Amino acid sequence: MKNLFHFSIFLLLVFGFLACDKCEIPENTQSGNIIHNVVVRENSTALTNFDTVLVNDDATNIVYDSIDVSFDGGLNFVPIDFSSYSLMAMKTRTNCSATFDRTVVIDDDNQTANYSIRINECPTCVNTIVTDNWVLVEKIPDTYTVTFDILP
């Protein structure tokens, strides 16, 4: 009788796991003027004092503890050349299983730059995480109007 009870519990557990709702969300994407295949490395975990940021020069980068980048998948990191690139971030708070569609559009005619993110979340995950969403883009002139949007 004990064996039958244990076997019944075992079957309930197995079928319980098999019946769980699986959540499939798309992979992260990057589009527009984002430089692809770049790994951005934060050298500090104390970057909690921003919601959005545009880093356009070395002096501002020092405030964020000299973030650097890798163009070879994370093997070698180098300082950012701010004469050629700008660094953007938009902090998001999501559930623990989320992906991001990140897009930066630089419009030279209207002298604007927009960083937008669409968040794809798995509703079965209940823990909250914070993601800084750093991206490297071609240099944005200081005279441009920069906006940040979270899309529905």
Side-chain angles (χ1 to χ4, degrees):
M1 194 65 156
K2 273 187 179 178
N3 286 341
L4 182 58
F5 175 75
H6 287 121
F7 184 70
S8 297
I9 296 293
F10 172 76
L11 286 177
L12 284 172
L13 288 173
V14 168
F15 284 115
F17 284 117
L18 292 177
C20 277
D21 288 337
K22 301 261 191 281
C23 181
E24 292 188 27
I25 53 178
E27 293 189 23
N28 289 321
T29 62
Q30 295 184 342
S31 60
N33 295 98
I34 297 173
I35 309 297
H36 295 277
N37 302 317
V38 172
V39 178
V40 177
R41 178 174 67 180
E42 297 178 48
N43 294 313
S44 172
T45 57
L47 300 176
T48 59
N49 59 343
F50 72 89
D51 286 321
T52 60
V53 68
L54 170 65
V55 182
N56 236 0
D57 54 50
D58 288 316
T60 307
N61 195 25
I62 290 171
V63 172
Y64 293 98
D65 205 18
S66 299
I67 295 168
D68 49 16
V69 294
S70 171
F71 295 96
D72 60 7
L75 296 175
N76 300 290
F77 285 87
V78 295
I80 298 168
D81 175 4
F82 287 108
S83 67
S84 299
Y85 300 108
S86 295
L87 185 64
M88 302 177 85
M90 183 171 8
K91 188 173 288 194
T92 57
R93 288 160 187 80
T94 63
N95 66 31
C96 58
S97 182
T99 60
F100 306 93
D101 299 328
R102 299 177 184 100
T103 303
V104 173
V105 175
I106 300 172
D107 181 345
D108 293 318
D109 291 338
N110 293 307
Q111 295 189 353
T112 61
N114 176 263
Y115 181 8
S116 63
I117 297 178
R118 184 177 314 279
I119 301 170
N120 308 296
E121 291 182 285
C122 182
T124 60
C125 187
V126 295
N127 296 327
T128 300
I129 61 169
V130 175
T131 305
D132 291 335
N133 295 294
W134 291 103
V135 293
L136 189 68
V137 298
E138 61 189 61
K139 178 72 172 182
I140 299 172
D142 292 332
T143 57
Y144 280 31
T145 300
V146 179
T147 56
F148 297 84
D149 295 305
I150 304 269
L151 303 175

